[in-house]
Amino acid sequence: MHFLRATPILGALLAQALAALVLAGLLQVLPELAGRFGIAPVIGAALVLQALLSAGLTRALGLAVWWQWIALAFPFAVALALAAGSLPAWPFGLAFLLLYLFFSNTARERVPLYLSNRATTGALGRLMRERSASHFIDLGSGLGGVVRGIAGDGRKAEGYETAPMAFLISAILSKLTGRGQIYRRDIWSADITEADLVYVFLSPEPMPMIHDKARREMKPGSLLVSNSFAIPGLDADEIWDLSDRRKTRLYLYAMKG
């Protein structure tokens, strides 16, 4: 399960494949149903069933909520692609633009849009209180939920995000709630020298570079916390296993200076 959460696209594909197997077992009654109701309603029902089964399996595998939405949409997207000869091109261009606005970091920095849940935000808040920490930074802050959850009660919380739509949404929500500050700046140019706790939820690929940045820039006694992805070749000072549905694991690394 942890491997699938670390490489969620494999989990999403597995969910689609398992749902398709279940659907294939029902195809033996397809001719009878098609004769009774017509082929179009039967195909529509099959698409709905594939979408619901795959979304349920994606949830059962513990993947992020947005992967469940992708699982729901995927069968219909495939059906539309197969019918593309009779469709205008603009919906596909619009879909590509939306994907870029939300997931541009995936291609450029190998960092997908992972959203931290409330259990993780609560654990980070508890960690801040235990350490009497006052300055929190989220590198790759997504929609900014963690930043807004940590800010307040004397704590300064900042987030760094470059995906255009994710930044825009998080910056607006931060302004409206008066909680935290979001910067449109890549994680490598972020100033983390004064941070008491730096949080990342990225992917396995950038973790060695994140460690190098933290080791160079973070002050002694500060803490680097990584959600789900450990730093290769380095033992964490602490590992927190949360009791949420996703089975979140936080790796804590104390900075020695």
Side-chain angles (χ1 to χ4, degrees):
M1 288 293 188
H2 181 70
F3 172 75
L4 293 178
R5 290 193 295 272
T7 53
I9 191 171
L10 295 181
L13 291 174
L14 176 62
Q16 292 290 342
L18 292 175
L21 287 175
V22 174
L23 196 61
L26 301 176
L27 289 181
Q28 56 187 343
V29 299
L30 181 60
E32 179 183 347
L33 292 174
R36 181 179 301 180
F37 302 105
I39 189 64
V42 171
I43 291 177
L47 287 174
V48 170
L49 183 58
Q50 172 74 19
L52 293 176
L53 284 173
S54 58
L57 289 168
T58 302
R59 178 183 175 88
L61 291 172
L63 302 189
V65 172
W66 62 278
W67 279 105
Q68 298 167 34
W69 288 106
I70 290 176
L72 276 172
F74 183 76
F76 301 101
V78 172
L80 286 173
L82 292 175
S86 59
L87 291 176
W90 68 264
F92 299 95
L94 178 61
F96 178 81
L97 176 61
L98 290 175
L99 286 173
Y100 170 78
L101 291 175
F102 277 102
F103 304 110
S104 58
N105 289 341
T106 303
R108 185 173 62 253
E109 298 177 353
R110 302 297 190 271
V111 178
L113 177 61
Y114 290 123
L115 301 181
S116 302
N117 56 22
R118 292 181 180 178
T120 301
T121 303
L124 292 170
R126 185 167 71 251
L127 190 58
M128 293 282 288
R129 291 191 295 272
E130 288 179 359
R131 291 176 166 262
S132 299
S134 60
H135 191 177
F136 173 89
I137 291 179
D138 185 349
L139 297 179
S141 51
L143 299 181
V146 175
V147 173
R148 295 190 301 275
I150 296 296
D153 298 325
R155 293 185 297 271
K156 178 182 179 181
E158 301 172 336
Y160 292 82
E161 178 59 53
T162 55
M165 190 60 72
F167 163 75
L168 181 62
I169 292 173
S170 59
I172 290 174
L173 290 175
S174 182
K175 289 290 186 183
L176 290 175
T177 60
R179 300 182 69 87
Q181 180 69 46
I182 307 296
Y183 300 98
R184 187 158 192 258
R185 191 179 308 163
D186 70 77
I187 59 179
W188 310 114
S189 62
D191 182 2
I192 60 174
T193 55
E194 298 301 320
D196 299 310
L197 191 152
V198 172
Y199 170 67
V200 294
F201 190 8
L202 303 175
S203 71
E205 185 165 333
M207 290 311 299
M209 293 181 290
I210 285 291
H211 176 231
D212 288 342
K213 178 178 175 65
R215 183 169 46 84
R216 290 193 313 268
E217 300 178 20
M218 293 180 69
K219 60 188 179 183
S222 59
L223 197 65
L224 173 66
V225 179
S226 176
N227 188 327
S228 301
F229 307 112
I231 296 173
L234 182 65
D235 292 332
D237 293 278
E238 295 182 52
I239 297 177
W240 285 21
D241 288 308
L242 307 187
S243 57
D244 59 339
R245 181 184 55 80
R246 191 187 291 175
K247 304 298 181 185
T248 298
R249 172 170 287 185
L250 300 179
Y251 296 89
L252 280 59
Y253 300 92
M255 295 294 106
K256 311 298 191 298

